[in-house]
Amino acid sequence: MNKITILIHCNDLSGIVASVTNFIAEKQGNIIYLDQHVDREQDIFFMRLESEFIENNFSTEDFKDSFKTSLADKFEMKWRIYSSENKPKMALFVSKYDHCLYDLLGRYNSGELNLKIPFIISNHNNLKPIADNFNIPFYHIPVTKDTKAEAEEQQLKLLKSHKIDFIVLARYMQIISGKLINKYPNKIINIHHSFLPAFVGAKPYHSAYKRGVKIIGATSHYVTEELDAGPIIEQDVAHVSHTYTIESLIAKGRDLEKIVLANAIKLHSNRKVMVFNNKTVVFS
Amino acid sequence: MNKITILIHCNDLSGIVASVTNFIAEKQGNIIYLDQHVDREQDIFFMRLESEFIENNFSTEDFKDSFKTSLADKFEMKWRIYSSENKPKMALFVSKYDHCLYDLLGRYNSGELNLKIPFIISNHNNLKPIADNFNIPFYHIPVTKDTKAEAEEQQLKLLKSHKIDFIVLARYMQIISGKLINKYPNKIINIHHSFLPAFVGAKPYHSAYKRGVKIIGATSHYVTEELDAGPIIEQDVAHVSHTYTIESLIAKGRDLEKIVLANAIKLHSNRKVMVFNNKTVVFS
Amino acid sequence: MNKITILIHCNDLSGIVASVTNFIAEKQGNIIYLDQHVDREQDIFFMRLESEFIENNFSTEDFKDSFKTSLADKFEMKWRIYSSENKPKMALFVSKYDHCLYDLLGRYNSGELNLKIPFIISNHNNLKPIADNFNIPFYHIPVTKDTKAEAEEQQLKLLKSHKIDFIVLARYMQIISGKLINKYPNKIINIHHSFLPAFVGAKPYHSAYKRGVKIIGATSHYVTEELDAGPIIEQDVAHVSHTYTIESLIAKGRDLEKIVLANAIKLHSNRKVMVFNNKTVVFS
Amino acid sequence: MNKITILIHCNDLSGIVASVTNFIAEKQGNIIYLDQHVDREQDIFFMRLESEFIENNFSTEDFKDSFKTSLADKFEMKWRIYSSENKPKMALFVSKYDHCLYDLLGRYNSGELNLKIPFIISNHNNLKPIADNFNIPFYHIPVTKDTKAEAEEQQLKLLKSHKIDFIVLARYMQIISGKLINKYPNKIINIHHSFLPAFVGAKPYHSAYKRGVKIIGATSHYVTEELDAGPIIEQDVAHVSHTYTIESLIAKGRDLEKIVLANAIKLHSNRKVMVFNNKTVVFS
């Protein structure tokens, strides 16, 4: 059984859904998921479709070629087609905080995540024992002001040689350069420990404490060159009160960060997220 | 501009989506919403579609006829087609509690609800002044053990003469007979003041207090002959603590009841709910 | 039965709780609620206490005098003592939006609110029929750039003559002057339709739509001279998605605004909120 | 600096708070936390107090003796006093599910939990590698119908020899006998994968799927002899929809189970939970 996922966006024209579903029918595919969205302001059509093909000699590459010439060119679509056989490869960037790392590796080991983790990169050595426990290669690449460019070269080399599909900054605490971002556009996922756009930048829990908010949040977003301003994938919040100190806000926030980041990773790796105009369409 | 909404369910066969979307394309419709769901356990296909037709002489009745012969019969569909011109007519049944009534009439007056309220029925006279303030006809139909059948006859007469589409029990506090239920299958919406299936029946807040739960809930569901066991449309919950008395649970619960019932009414009147096998499919 | 509520804050010294509870015991009071909080950063002690006094000739004024000389002066307390007999008087300021008004008057009529509403003030005449339905005096005081000072004089006169205790801006949409704010410090409650400090100022739902947030919020706070920057009393949020238009964000937000404002009013009128250093302590 | 926590409950009499706080003041203690609750139905007074003592030769044992004779006997209190020096010892019981285990051991290693885990017991060997990674002794004690009594003897021996304070069933999947429960009354914490009292017993996610609920939950409670009917410590819920299969309900539920169990463990180990009449008082 072959299963593919198709993601499309293009200008909204009538007849697109009929054309795509006819095409699948012709190829003897069985649609098992179809959702679409129209951004009425921009007149952009978005679609996500999953289809199964029973045929023995089904080829994803042939399907892609045919899709391109029969449909995509005609409607001037931006499109991506994924075979369910290929699990995406995720590189984990961490620093000194371990809670997201424990959470993600626990989920990974339990088989909850539909992806591969070829390696972990960190600018510090502190979390190496955890990587070792979970048998994931760990590369310690220190980053200082002076060595930042060089360090990114090392990172890029590792990312290329392992054919990494996307990067997750699990509280990595370093600013990523435009050079690296442009090589992985909408493929670098960050977890920010506030309810964006409130409390952009460093020490959001301190700012939340000072402002006396009654709810704290966490936000997972794609990294763009503007700090904490990329397309938001997932957010969640928790109620707090005057009894919380900065320390207890941080402790409460850790659980938010873990779950929001894990959910964003699941959505991305299951090809449920599309980006347009610095916003996401997140299919169910 | 004509706008219609189509709801379909049938056995899951390949080619349904293509057939329906082709049909819309042939009729020069522009699909503005399409979502589908497959119940894999029962192999049932569900679909909701909204389409606009620019044509001046578009007729919903002609469209229905054509849909039936071209599509519905072929796939053995259960289907409903609604024109956006027809606002559904909702009858409100109340008793002595006023919070849901105030909430719904406030929303109604603000233009938030896509429906008409031809009248309110109550077994008590207490809430008549509120109906008067909002200029809605109010029928006082007392119900006792002995007069129950007779009272329902009066209700039915009113429902028929006003061509009521669906009934909302806004804390009506009376059990509806099978006779009335069968005339309005999946068209009578109740609000139950607990997180069903916990605390079925009378005095759920008292039971919640006794059990010491840390969360209370409210559930809106279609009425079936089995008490509080019909298809669930919407649920919501709120956190509580040991400091709550039964009275403060009831007060907190009122806000849940109002919002859950209002949301269920919006979903139903916007034709977003399908029922199958005592469960709902609720489209976004 | 006499019931009083005491709110205290002062520098944190040992022995305060013992002194206060001894004082109550001497006066033959029965403590039915006591909660305290210490702000460790500022070394400030906060306390809320409810006590019942069975004595027939109990006098709140005598109690206050005795409290002041025996306790408050010694510990240099800021303190307030309220008798449960006196319901606070709340002035409602509205403009053209009716959802918070319907919600509050519905609750008021149901007896859910522990306060009196002597009148409603509005800069427009649109909502007068609602005030009339609920039999609340409605004063139409138009506000333009040129007449603003004069209009506030009229408002102040009404506020004084009715001995108003606190003011609620139920989507009033006008900036309150420093002069009025200073006459009602921490006694003017506003509802802002965003999750503050995100989206300060006008049109927060438009900004939320543009930023592509996955959660929207509402915030009730005391009005200070800095816009939307006063002490936060209550916040709540709701999940949204890419399918929401600005209009549907606004519709979803209305329910948040209603509940957050109603909760803030209940907390304030039940004397559960203390303000220090632009933050609130909100007792349960 | 010595810090102690006092938990008290007794019949509600006037003067208790004054007596206790005076007692602390006499011992030169500084109260850093005080909260109290009165169950008005049962007329029971509950209190939690934290106090610091600067004195060099402060003895918790002497304090307890003095507390007993001066206060506890007089008011016929049930009371417990804990020194912050003693971290409670928690035994973890697991079976084959690893998500709660990973979560708890990750938190434990990060220093988030104020307790010690001397060992893990399981009726299966599957999770031994995880225990090994985290360097926690793992005892495999198989349980069959015939060997159940014998297995519990082994468990009891381990519990006693390590002076275990409380037991956590992290998806242990076995019914605990009355004998063991009575040795650890209100000291065995279970996580049930439903919103109790809905879906008591086995396979709650299957029941939730069948009933078509729109919200699922998890409940942590103390184990009593009646199945899933003990005092509830903590509950949380998550919204679901018709698109969820049983498998995806289970996946979603895992995150609820992890967080609800972790929170219940924190509350218990920080001595914030009191039990009375099969309900909990959970202090903040």
Side-chain angles (χ1 to χ4, degrees):
Chain A
M1 176 79 74
N2 300 277
K3 195 181 127 193
I4 61 160
T5 302
I6 306 178
L7 297 174
I8 297 164
H9 69 90
C10 58
N11 288 325
D12 187 27
L13 297 167
S14 66
I16 303 178
V17 180
S19 301
V20 174
T21 53
N22 276 335
F23 179 80
I24 302 289
E26 276 162 26
K27 301 280 178 190
Q28 268 132 60
N30 185 29
I31 295 172
I32 55 172
Y33 175 95
L34 185 160
D35 200 359
Q36 52 94 55
H37 169 66
V38 177
D39 181 328
R40 296 258 144 201
E41 238 190 13
Q42 318 266 345
D43 255 326
I44 303 291
F45 172 85
F46 298 86
M47 186 175 185
R48 185 178 182 276
L49 186 145
E50 290 178 15
S51 182
E52 289 171 347
F53 298 87
I54 310 169
E55 228 192 313
N56 271 333
N57 52 357
F58 176 86
S59 147
T60 307
E61 288 315 307
D62 291 354
F63 182 88
K64 282 186 188 178
D65 288 345
S66 177
F67 183 88
K68 183 180 182 312
T69 49
S70 315
L71 274 180
D73 291 350
K74 183 179 158 202
F75 288 102
E76 297 183 20
M77 293 173 175
K78 306 270 178 187
W79 59 279
R80 290 176 284 153
I81 293 178
Y82 301 100
S83 165
S84 67
E85 278 169 25
N86 297 323
K87 291 194 179 185
K89 286 179 193 143
M90 171 176 104
L92 258 179
F93 282 41
V94 298
S95 186
K96 288 179 175 172
Y97 292 111
D98 60 6
H99 55 285
C100 285
L101 183 62
Y102 268 128
D103 183 68
L104 290 174
L105 296 185
R107 292 172 193 272
Y108 185 54
N109 256 29
S110 304
E112 189 180 313
L113 303 179
N114 179 40
L115 50 82
K116 288 177 197 167
I117 305 179
F119 60 84
I120 295 166
I121 282 175
S122 180
N123 56 335
H124 292 287
N125 231 331
N126 310 46
L127 305 185
K128 188 171 187 310
I130 303 177
D132 291 349
N133 276 354
F134 284 87
N135 290 312
I136 317 254
F138 181 94
Y139 296 99
H140 177 209
I141 304 180
V143 178
T144 65
K145 240 187 195 170
D146 295 339
T147 64
K148 183 158 181 148
E150 197 186 324
E152 271 200 356
E153 280 310 312
Q154 270 186 274
Q155 294 170 350
L156 265 172
K157 220 166 144 184
L158 277 167
L159 295 167
K160 269 188 214 165
S161 69
H162 284 85
K163 293 182 181 161
I164 289 301
D165 291 296
F166 71 108
I167 299 165
V168 166
L169 311 181
R171 301 297 311 275
Y172 177 52
M173 313 297 284
Q174 295 285 320
I175 308 245
I176 304 295
S177 79
K179 189 181 164 192
L180 183 48
I181 293 170
N182 290 325
K183 298 225 162 144
Y184 292 88
N186 297 324
K187 287 179 177 173
I188 307 178
I189 297 175
N190 185 40
I191 177 73
H192 184 74
H193 39 315
S194 86
F195 179 76
L196 287 176
F199 309 128
V200 165
K203 303 218 173 224
Y205 292 125
H206 291 70
S207 306
Y209 178 81
K210 190 153 179 293
R211 181 65 186 90
V213 293
K214 300 302 185 189
I215 289 179
I216 57 168
T219 304
S220 192
H221 63 94
Y222 290 115
V223 175
T224 57
E225 293 205 41
E226 191 181 343
L227 185 66
D228 297 333
I232 294 171
I233 306 167
E234 174 92 351
Q235 300 188 289
D236 208 354
V237 296
H239 286 262
V240 296
S241 74
H242 63 273
T243 63
Y244 280 70
T245 60
I246 292 175
E247 289 66 38
S248 52
L249 289 178
I250 290 172
K252 183 102 172 183
R254 277 198 294 259
D255 277 350
L256 284 177
E257 296 166 31
K258 289 191 285 190
I259 288 201
V260 169
L261 181 57
N263 283 345
I265 289 171
K266 286 183 198 173
L267 290 168
H268 181 90
S269 60
N270 291 325
R271 291 79 153 85
K272 295 192 167 174
V273 189
M274 300 183 74
V275 175
F276 185 79
N277 207 16
N278 207 46
K279 292 164 66 171
T280 59
V281 171
V282 179
F283 289 109
S284 64
Chain B
M1 176 81 72
N2 301 278
K3 197 180 125 191
I4 60 160
T5 302
I6 308 177
L7 296 174
I8 298 164
H9 70 89
C10 58
N11 289 326
D12 187 26
L13 297 168
S14 65
I16 303 177
V17 181
S19 301
V20 175
T21 54
N22 276 334
F23 179 80
I24 301 290
E26 277 163 24
K27 301 280 180 193
Q28 269 133 57
N30 185 30
I31 296 172
I32 54 171
Y33 174 94
L34 187 161
D35 200 1
Q36 52 95 54
H37 168 65
V38 178
D39 182 327
R40 299 255 142 201
E41 237 188 16
Q42 317 266 346
D43 254 327
I44 303 293
F45 172 86
F46 299 86
M47 188 174 181
R48 183 177 184 275
L49 185 145
E50 291 179 12
S51 183
E52 289 171 349
F53 298 86
I54 309 169
E55 231 190 313
N56 271 334
N57 53 356
F58 177 88
S59 147
T60 306
E61 287 316 305
D62 291 353
F63 182 87
K64 282 187 188 177
D65 288 346
S66 177
F67 183 88
K68 183 178 182 314
T69 49
S70 313
L71 274 179
D73 291 351
K74 183 179 157 201
F75 288 102
E76 299 183 20
M77 292 173 176
K78 307 271 181 188
W79 59 279
R80 290 177 284 153
I81 292 177
Y82 302 100
S83 165
S84 66
E85 278 168 27
N86 298 324
K87 290 194 180 187
K89 286 179 194 141
M90 171 176 104
L92 259 180
F93 282 42
V94 299
S95 186
K96 289 182 176 171
Y97 292 111
D98 61 6
H99 55 285
C100 285
L101 183 62
Y102 267 128
D103 183 68
L104 290 173
L105 297 184
R107 292 171 194 274
Y108 184 53
N109 258 28
S110 305
E112 188 181 314
L113 302 179
N114 179 41
L115 49 80
K116 289 177 197 165
I117 306 180
F119 62 82
I120 295 167
I121 283 175
S122 180
N123 56 335
H124 293 287
N125 231 333
N126 311 43
L127 305 187
K128 189 171 184 312
I130 303 178
D132 291 349
N133 275 352
F134 286 86
N135 291 312
I136 317 254
F138 181 94
Y139 298 97
H140 177 208
I141 305 179
V143 178
T144 64
K145 236 184 197 170
D146 294 340
T147 65
K148 182 158 182 146
E150 196 187 325
E152 271 199 358
E153 280 310 314
Q154 272 186 271
Q155 294 169 351
L156 264 170
K157 220 168 146 183
L158 277 167
L159 294 168
K160 267 189 215 164
S161 69
H162 285 85
K163 293 183 182 158
I164 289 299
D165 292 296
F166 71 106
I167 299 165
V168 165
L169 312 179
R171 303 295 312 273
Y172 178 53
M173 312 298 283
Q174 294 286 320
I175 307 243
I176 305 295
S177 80
K179 188 182 165 193
L180 182 49
I181 293 170
N182 290 326
K183 299 228 162 142
Y184 292 88
N186 298 325
K187 288 178 177 174
I188 307 177
I189 298 176
N190 185 40
I191 178 72
H192 184 73
H193 39 316
S194 85
F195 179 79
L196 289 174
F199 308 128
V200 165
K203 303 219 173 222
Y205 293 124
H206 290 70
S207 306
Y209 177 80
K210 188 152 180 293
R211 182 62 185 92
V213 293
K214 300 303 183 188
I215 289 178
I216 58 168
T219 303
S220 192
H221 63 95
Y222 291 116
V223 174
T224 57
E225 294 205 41
E226 189 182 343
L227 183 66
D228 297 333
I232 293 171
I233 306 167
E234 173 92 351
Q235 302 188 290
D236 208 353
V237 296
H239 286 261
V240 295
S241 74
H242 63 272
T243 63
Y244 280 71
T245 59
I246 290 174
E247 289 69 36
S248 51
L249 288 179
I250 289 172
K252 181 104 176 182
R254 278 198 294 257
D255 279 348
L256 284 176
E257 295 166 31
K258 289 191 284 191
I259 288 203
V260 168
L261 180 57
N263 283 344
I265 288 171
K266 286 185 199 173
L267 289 168
H268 181 89
S269 60
N270 290 324
R271 293 78 152 84
K272 294 193 168 176
V273 188
M274 302 183 72
V275 174
F276 184 80
N277 206 16
N278 208 45
K279 290 164 66 170
T280 60
V281 171
V282 179
F283 288 109
S284 63
Chain C
M1 175 81 73
N2 300 278
K3 195 181 127 192
I4 61 162
T5 301
I6 307 177
L7 295 175
I8 297 164
H9 70 89
C10 58
N11 288 326
D12 188 27
L13 297 169
S14 66
I16 303 177
V17 180
S19 300
V20 175
T21 52
N22 276 334
F23 179 80
I24 302 289
E26 278 162 24
K27 302 280 179 190
Q28 265 133 61
N30 185 29
I31 296 173
I32 56 172
Y33 174 95
L34 187 161
D35 201 359
Q36 53 94 53
H37 168 65
V38 178
D39 182 326
R40 296 259 145 201
E41 239 189 12
Q42 319 266 346
D43 254 327
I44 303 292
F45 172 85
F46 300 86
M47 187 175 184
R48 183 177 184 277
L49 186 144
E50 290 179 13
S51 182
E52 289 171 349
F53 298 86
I54 311 170
E55 229 191 315
N56 271 335
N57 52 355
F58 177 86
S59 147
T60 306
E61 288 315 306
D62 291 354
F63 183 86
K64 280 187 190 178
D65 288 346
S66 176
F67 183 87
K68 184 177 180 313
T69 47
S70 313
L71 275 179
D73 291 350
K74 181 178 159 202
F75 288 102
E76 297 182 22
M77 294 174 175
K78 307 270 178 187
W79 59 280
R80 290 177 284 153
I81 292 177
Y82 301 102
S83 164
S84 66
E85 279 170 24
N86 298 323
K87 289 194 182 188
K89 287 178 193 144
M90 171 177 102
L92 259 180
F93 283 42
V94 300
S95 186
K96 290 180 174 172
Y97 293 111
D98 61 6
H99 55 285
C100 284
L101 183 62
Y102 268 128
D103 183 69
L104 290 174
L105 296 185
R107 292 172 194 272
Y108 184 54
N109 257 26
S110 304
E112 188 180 313
L113 303 180
N114 179 40
L115 48 81
K116 289 178 196 165
I117 306 181
F119 61 84
I120 296 168
I121 283 176
S122 180
N123 56 334
H124 293 286
N125 230 333
N126 311 45
L127 305 186
K128 187 171 186 310
I130 303 177
D132 290 349
N133 275 352
F134 286 87
N135 291 314
I136 316 255
F138 181 94
Y139 297 98
H140 177 207
I141 303 179
V143 178
T144 65
K145 237 185 195 171
D146 294 340
T147 64
K148 184 157 180 148
E150 198 187 324
E152 272 200 355
E153 280 309 313
Q154 272 187 272
Q155 295 170 350
L156 264 171
K157 220 166 144 186
L158 278 167
L159 294 168
K160 267 188 215 165
S161 69
H162 285 85
K163 292 184 182 159
I164 290 300
D165 291 297
F166 70 108
I167 299 165
V168 166
L169 312 179
R171 301 298 310 274
Y172 176 53
M173 311 299 282
Q174 294 286 320
I175 306 241
I176 304 295
S177 78
K179 188 181 165 192
L180 183 48
I181 293 170
N182 289 326
K183 298 226 161 140
Y184 292 89
N186 297 324
K187 288 179 176 173
I188 307 177
I189 297 176
N190 185 41
I191 178 72
H192 183 72
H193 39 316
S194 87
F195 178 79
L196 287 177
F199 309 129
V200 166
K203 302 217 171 226
Y205 293 125
H206 291 71
S207 305
Y209 178 79
K210 189 152 180 292
R211 182 63 186 91
V213 293
K214 301 303 183 190
I215 289 177
I216 58 168
T219 304
S220 193
H221 63 94
Y222 290 115
V223 175
T224 56
E225 293 204 41
E226 190 182 346
L227 184 66
D228 296 333
I232 295 170
I233 306 167
E234 174 92 349
Q235 302 188 287
D236 208 355
V237 295
H239 287 262
V240 296
S241 75
H242 64 272
T243 64
Y244 280 71
T245 60
I246 291 175
E247 289 68 37
S248 52
L249 288 179
I250 289 172
K252 181 101 174 185
R254 278 198 293 259
D255 278 350
L256 284 177
E257 295 165 32
K258 288 192 285 193
I259 289 202
V260 168
L261 180 58
N263 283 344
I265 289 171
K266 285 185 201 172
L267 290 168
H268 180 90
S269 60
N270 290 324
R271 291 80 152 82
K272 295 193 169 177
V273 188
M274 300 183 73
V275 174
F276 185 79
N277 207 14
N278 207 45
K279 293 164 65 171
T280 59
V281 170
V282 179
F283 289 109
S284 65
Chain D
M1 176 83 73
N2 300 278
K3 196 180 126 192
I4 61 162
T5 301
I6 307 178
L7 296 174
I8 298 164
H9 70 88
C10 58
N11 289 326
D12 188 27
L13 297 168
S14 65
I16 303 178
V17 180
S19 300
V20 174
T21 53
N22 276 334
F23 179 80
I24 302 289
E26 277 163 26
K27 301 280 178 189
Q28 266 132 57
N30 185 31
I31 296 174
I32 55 172
Y33 175 95
L34 186 160
D35 201 0
Q36 52 94 56
H37 168 66
V38 177
D39 182 327
R40 298 255 144 201
E41 237 188 15
Q42 318 266 346
D43 254 326
I44 303 291
F45 172 85
F46 299 86
M47 186 175 185
R48 184 178 183 276
L49 185 145
E50 289 178 15
S51 182
E52 288 171 348
F53 297 86
I54 309 169
E55 227 191 314
N56 272 333
N57 52 356
F58 177 87
S59 147
T60 306
E61 288 316 305
D62 290 353
F63 182 88
K64 283 186 188 178
D65 288 346
S66 177
F67 183 89
K68 185 179 182 308
T69 48
S70 313
L71 276 179
D73 290 351
K74 181 178 159 203
F75 287 102
E76 296 182 25
M77 295 173 176
K78 306 270 178 187
W79 59 280
R80 290 176 285 152
I81 292 177
Y82 301 101
S83 164
S84 66
E85 277 168 27
N86 297 325
K87 291 191 177 187
K89 285 179 194 146
M90 170 176 104
L92 260 179
F93 282 42
V94 299
S95 186
K96 288 179 175 174
Y97 292 112
D98 60 6
H99 55 285
C100 285
L101 184 61
Y102 267 128
D103 183 68
L104 290 174
L105 296 185
R107 291 172 195 272
Y108 184 53
N109 258 27
S110 305
E112 189 180 313
L113 303 178
N114 178 39
L115 49 79
K116 288 177 197 167
I117 306 181
F119 61 83
I120 295 167
I121 282 176
S122 180
N123 57 334
H124 292 288
N125 231 331
N126 309 45
L127 304 186
K128 187 171 187 309
I130 302 177
D132 290 350
N133 276 351
F134 285 85
N135 291 313
I136 316 256
F138 181 95
Y139 297 98
H140 177 210
I141 304 180
V143 177
T144 66
K145 235 185 196 170
D146 295 341
T147 65
K148 183 157 180 148
E150 197 187 324
E152 271 199 357
E153 280 308 314
Q154 272 186 272
Q155 294 171 352
L156 264 172
K157 220 167 143 186
L158 276 167
L159 294 168
K160 267 189 217 166
S161 70
H162 285 84
K163 293 181 180 159
I164 289 299
D165 291 296
F166 71 108
I167 299 166
V168 166
L169 311 180
R171 303 296 311 276
Y172 177 55
M173 313 298 283
Q174 295 286 320
I175 306 239
I176 304 296
S177 79
K179 188 182 165 193
L180 183 47
I181 293 170
N182 290 326
K183 298 225 161 142
Y184 292 89
N186 298 324
K187 289 180 177 173
I188 307 177
I189 298 175
N190 185 40
I191 178 73
H192 184 73
H193 39 315
S194 87
F195 178 79
L196 289 175
F199 309 128
V200 165
K203 301 214 174 229
Y205 293 123
H206 290 71
S207 306
Y209 177 81
K210 190 154 181 293
R211 182 63 186 91
V213 293
K214 301 303 183 190
I215 289 177
I216 57 167
T219 304
S220 193
H221 63 94
Y222 291 115
V223 174
T224 56
E225 292 205 42
E226 189 182 343
L227 185 65
D228 297 332
I232 294 171
I233 307 166
E234 173 92 351
Q235 301 189 290
D236 208 355
V237 296
H239 287 261
V240 297
S241 75
H242 63 272
T243 63
Y244 279 70
T245 59
I246 291 174
E247 288 69 36
S248 51
L249 288 179
I250 291 173
K252 181 102 173 183
R254 277 198 294 259
D255 278 348
L256 284 177
E257 296 166 31
K258 288 191 286 192
I259 288 201
V260 169
L261 180 57
N263 283 344
I265 289 172
K266 284 185 201 174
L267 289 168
H268 180 90
S269 61
N270 291 324
R271 291 78 154 86
K272 295 191 168 177
V273 189
M274 299 184 74
V275 174
F276 185 80
N277 208 15
N278 207 45
K279 292 165 65 170
T280 59
V281 171
V282 178
F283 289 107
S284 62

